[in-house]
Amino acid sequence: MTTSTAPGPVLVDAGEVSTEVRTAPFGLAFRDGDGREVLASVPGRGRPTLSLHLSDLQGLLGDTDVIPARYAPITFTTGKVSMTQIEPFPLVTGNPFLTVSGGTTYSLTNVRRTTRLADGGVRLEVATDDPTGRKAIVEVRPDEGDAVRTQVQFQPATNIAFVGAGFTSGPDEAFHGFGGRRNAIDQAGESFFNWIDQTIFSVPPLAGQPQSGWYQQAQFISSRPYGFFLEQSELSRWRLRSDRDDAWQVESNSAGLKFTVAPGDGPKAIQTLTAITGRTPVPPSWQVSPTFAQTLVGGLTGKSAAAYEAEIRESIRQIVELDLPYESFSFEAWWMLKQAGRLDEIIALIRENGMRPLVYFRAWAGNDGQGLEDDAAFETAKTEGYAARRANGSPYVFSNTLAPGKLAVQLDFTNPETVAWWRLRIREALDAGADGFMQDFGEQTMWDMRFADGSTGREAHNRYPIDFHRATREIVDEWHADNPDRTEPMFYVRSGYSGRPGSAAYESANWCGDYESNWSRRTGLPALTTDMLNRAVGGAYGFHCDTGGYMDLLSGPPSRELFLRWSWYAALTPGNRVHGGPVLEQRFPWSWDEEAAQIHRDTLRLHRAAEPYIMDLWREAKQTGMPITRPLWLAYPEMPGAHQIDQEYMLGPDVFVAPVVTQGATTREVVFPPGCWRHPETGQTYSGSATVPAPLDQHPYFFKCGTTPFEPPTR
């Protein structure tokens, strides 16, 4: 290592890309393989400023800087952050109702000393305008692939509420990704926090901000072009040209900052970042096939095992009679059936009828008595120390999300004893004959929870799904190694976050969350494609959603039209699952008439026909990061308006899909990608813009002319 006390600009080479560290004043400039500058620090302005920020993450007040934010290459705010959460509010346990932060914002100034590191990176000692004499230690080093990682620490590191980085921007820049957000496919002009939460209704105070979601990622792809990944899991705040036309900024509620920049166009940046943050593993082919899920209709405690068994038997009878090509059958209250001595027979019945049995697990233990888990699990988790705790050491008991008036505790997967207990529970279900399970929840971590590794809920909330899914992945892989004659178990998840790696590296698939049974752009059918594409570019493949929507408390059960449009949507996505009606009534494919059942069967057959193509795309995605479902900005970056199109998408390179998401529609206005496109069932060809037929028994999907990615089923 070499050290200099008279620093000048320093270059860090990282594969085909590089970073120039500017020293007087401090700043960063990132260049692609052709030497073009794609991202540069925003120039610092002014002196230290007061900071006051509030955010109502339920969407009533929005995200507000009471005092304008200070921009500089690196800023840090001394002061405090407080979050208000309401424990007895079960439907949104873990969601913030108000976050307030305040203090004084300082910035880094000039580099005092540089030290060249053995890997070609550089360590810098940087002065700040904090009058206490606080200094920063900044390391800029090559990351995996063609990327550069920057790490900022402070001496001393006390009393720091936020650390941020600011960069230049402009009206040409689009920001794509950030996980399962439904408001838009380009977050330019938006300001928001990253905090995974439950957003199951389209009306305040349960709606969350427009950018809220169960599955979030602190990474995005810019049109400039580059990829950006914030490594911290703490609460982060993003201003993406929301308060300045010429800059964007990210701040993390942490004492330091770590971020990676991957210069390159969309495919290149995605490949680089997802190699770091993780890609969903390639599953056995049966796991992409349609699943029927028998929910616990009514969502009430006290349903008898006999009544639930009767519902399962009737659904299986209808599936067989209507020749619906489901590959697996999921049932939630498996523990209740086990207690009643009926589990073995139900699992055998499912297998006898050509389907694979799937069961249910969740991130917490509750005393709801719904038969979803061992009745003793709640007390065991509390008394044996398997749950997150309060500051005084007592178990952190909160209101049960599934049963108002009942209680629950969040499982602590940083505790090896909890993981050992979880291993017994998972293995019990797999040993009983289940081929997999839903892995539900993961958003309930409260700000003041305490975990066995010493972290608090402030640090662990976003990280929780990573710990949760990683523990389960290790257990199911271990079980499969012990049972090589059985199929690889699958588990599909609701919550997720980015990391090094993040949730995507561990889950088998992910579903959208508890969308409402409606046509809402925020929580219903029109939000699906936006959500799917935003998380796909972050490595989270295997997306699916509950056909017809799930939450029916405010919207009511799905109509015939909504259910069938949702069925068509699911036909050409990586996953496909019918599951709904937890409160009022689950609607089934046979709930209306013979024609509706026939149309639904056609949607399932279309999905089955596309499965080999989907599996090929999944293998490609695992190798390259190029997602299975692709936004048009990624597939056709020169297409006019592509960076804002979020109701059309590509399934691989050769299938273009324009789902119908408008109630009462019989046609669809479609903007086609460049070239010639053919509807494989009608033979009609299209290009440019067109109004295409969209009757309820037909799906607007198209093959690139001259290709046949799969053979559509005959009607």
mmCIF file of all heavy atoms in Angstrom, residues 16 66 96 127 246 294 420 475 484 507 526 608 715:
data_model
loop_
_atom_site.group_PDB
_atom_site.id
_atom_site.type_symbol
_atom_site.label_atom_id
_atom_site.label_comp_id
_atom_site.label_asym_id
_atom_site.label_seq_id
_atom_site.Cartn_x
_atom_site.Cartn_y
_atom_site.Cartn_z
ATOM 1 N N GLU A 16 -14.047 -3.639 -16.461
ATOM 2 C CA GLU A 16 -14.209 -2.775 -17.618
ATOM 3 C C GLU A 16 -14.669 -1.371 -17.247
ATOM 4 O O GLU A 16 -14.870 -0.537 -18.132
ATOM 5 C CB GLU A 16 -15.218 -3.397 -18.585
ATOM 6 C CG GLU A 16 -14.769 -4.732 -19.173
ATOM 7 C CD GLU A 16 -15.794 -5.300 -20.136
ATOM 8 O OE1 GLU A 16 -16.853 -4.655 -20.311
ATOM 9 O OE2 GLU A 16 -15.542 -6.380 -20.700
ATOM 10 N N VAL A 66 -39.669 19.243 5.689
ATOM 11 C CA VAL A 66 -40.129 20.519 6.238
ATOM 12 C C VAL A 66 -39.092 21.594 5.960
ATOM 13 O O VAL A 66 -39.423 22.745 5.651
ATOM 14 C CB VAL A 66 -40.398 20.386 7.746
ATOM 15 C CG1 VAL A 66 -40.862 21.710 8.340
ATOM 16 C CG2 VAL A 66 -41.433 19.281 8.000
ATOM 17 N N PRO A 96 -45.168 1.688 9.633
ATOM 18 C CA PRO A 96 -45.024 2.966 10.333
ATOM 19 C C PRO A 96 -46.247 3.847 10.085
ATOM 20 O O PRO A 96 -46.758 3.908 8.968
ATOM 21 C CB PRO A 96 -43.778 3.589 9.689
ATOM 22 C CG PRO A 96 -43.199 2.529 8.814
ATOM 23 C CD PRO A 96 -44.308 1.602 8.472
ATOM 24 N N ALA A 127 -11.990 15.273 5.360
ATOM 25 C CA ALA A 127 -12.476 16.235 6.346
ATOM 26 C C ALA A 127 -13.970 16.481 6.145
ATOM 27 O O ALA A 127 -14.534 16.195 5.085
ATOM 28 C CB ALA A 127 -11.708 17.541 6.214
ATOM 29 N N ASP A 246 -32.144 18.564 -11.030
ATOM 30 C CA ASP A 246 -30.811 18.210 -11.515
ATOM 31 C C ASP A 246 -30.079 17.207 -10.638
ATOM 32 O O ASP A 246 -28.881 16.987 -10.817
ATOM 33 C CB ASP A 246 -29.956 19.474 -11.633
ATOM 34 C CG ASP A 246 -29.728 20.151 -10.284
ATOM 35 O OD1 ASP A 246 -30.475 19.851 -9.321
ATOM 36 O OD2 ASP A 246 -28.805 20.990 -10.182
ATOM 37 N N GLN A 294 -56.518 -23.900 -1.258
ATOM 38 C CA GLN A 294 -57.759 -23.919 -0.471
ATOM 39 C C GLN A 294 -57.544 -23.061 0.765
ATOM 40 O O GLN A 294 -56.925 -23.473 1.739
ATOM 41 C CB GLN A 294 -58.102 -25.349 -0.062
ATOM 42 C CG GLN A 294 -59.447 -25.489 0.616
ATOM 43 C CD GLN A 294 -60.595 -25.468 -0.381
ATOM 44 O OE1 GLN A 294 -60.552 -26.182 -1.378
ATOM 45 N NE2 GLN A 294 -61.608 -24.676 -0.125
ATOM 46 N N ALA A 420 -33.144 -24.082 14.950
ATOM 47 C CA ALA A 420 -33.224 -25.519 15.227
ATOM 48 C C ALA A 420 -34.676 -25.949 15.434
ATOM 49 O O ALA A 420 -35.097 -27.018 14.955
ATOM 50 C CB ALA A 420 -32.383 -25.856 16.452
ATOM 51 N N ILE A 475 -32.662 -25.325 5.460
ATOM 52 C CA ILE A 475 -33.371 -26.481 6.005
ATOM 53 C C ILE A 475 -33.918 -27.368 4.888
ATOM 54 O O ILE A 475 -33.764 -28.603 4.930
ATOM 55 C CB ILE A 475 -34.503 -26.013 6.943
ATOM 56 C CG1 ILE A 475 -33.899 -25.367 8.196
ATOM 57 C CG2 ILE A 475 -35.423 -27.168 7.308
ATOM 58 C CD1 ILE A 475 -34.898 -24.582 9.026
ATOM 59 N N PRO A 484 -33.222 -37.918 -1.136
ATOM 60 C CA PRO A 484 -33.008 -37.684 -2.572
ATOM 61 C C PRO A 484 -34.072 -38.318 -3.467
ATOM 62 O O PRO A 484 -34.185 -37.957 -4.640
ATOM 63 C CB PRO A 484 -31.636 -38.307 -2.827
ATOM 64 C CG PRO A 484 -31.475 -39.318 -1.737
ATOM 65 C CD PRO A 484 -32.160 -38.741 -0.544
ATOM 66 N N GLU A 507 -35.432 -17.850 -1.974
ATOM 67 C CA GLU A 507 -36.815 -18.260 -2.179
ATOM 68 C C GLU A 507 -36.960 -19.129 -3.419
ATOM 69 O O GLU A 507 -36.149 -19.049 -4.341
ATOM 70 C CB GLU A 507 -37.689 -17.014 -2.310
ATOM 71 C CG GLU A 507 -37.354 -16.204 -3.560
ATOM 72 C CD GLU A 507 -37.673 -14.731 -3.447
ATOM 73 O OE1 GLU A 507 -37.644 -14.194 -2.327
ATOM 74 O OE2 GLU A 507 -37.935 -14.102 -4.485
ATOM 75 N N PRO A 526 -54.778 -4.016 -12.229
ATOM 76 C CA PRO A 526 -53.883 -3.169 -13.027
ATOM 77 C C PRO A 526 -52.509 -2.927 -12.397
ATOM 78 O O PRO A 526 -51.605 -2.433 -13.079
ATOM 79 C CB PRO A 526 -54.661 -1.848 -13.144
ATOM 80 C CG PRO A 526 -56.078 -2.201 -12.882
ATOM 81 C CD PRO A 526 -56.021 -3.315 -11.888
ATOM 82 N N ARG A 608 -49.683 -24.001 -19.145
ATOM 83 C CA ARG A 608 -48.990 -25.285 -19.244
ATOM 84 C C ARG A 608 -48.206 -25.372 -20.555
ATOM 85 O O ARG A 608 -47.093 -25.905 -20.592
ATOM 86 C CB ARG A 608 -49.982 -26.449 -19.139
ATOM 87 C CG ARG A 608 -50.757 -26.558 -17.830
ATOM 88 C CD ARG A 608 -49.877 -26.627 -16.579
ATOM 89 N NE ARG A 608 -48.963 -27.714 -16.563
ATOM 90 C CZ ARG A 608 -49.148 -28.852 -15.865
ATOM 91 N NH1 ARG A 608 -50.252 -29.026 -15.161
ATOM 92 N NH2 ARG A 608 -48.236 -29.788 -15.872
ATOM 93 N N ARG A 715 -58.152 -25.221 -28.878
ATOM 94 C CA ARG A 715 -59.377 -24.955 -28.119
ATOM 95 C C ARG A 715 -60.424 -26.001 -28.443
ATOM 96 O O ARG A 715 -60.536 -26.403 -29.595
ATOM 97 C CB ARG A 715 -59.904 -23.566 -28.488
ATOM 98 C CG ARG A 715 -58.914 -22.442 -28.134
ATOM 99 C CD ARG A 715 -59.272 -21.782 -26.828
ATOM 100 N NE ARG A 715 -58.439 -20.618 -26.598
ATOM 101 C CZ ARG A 715 -58.893 -19.427 -26.235
ATOM 102 N NH1 ARG A 715 -60.185 -19.248 -26.066
ATOM 103 N NH2 ARG A 715 -58.081 -18.436 -26.012
#
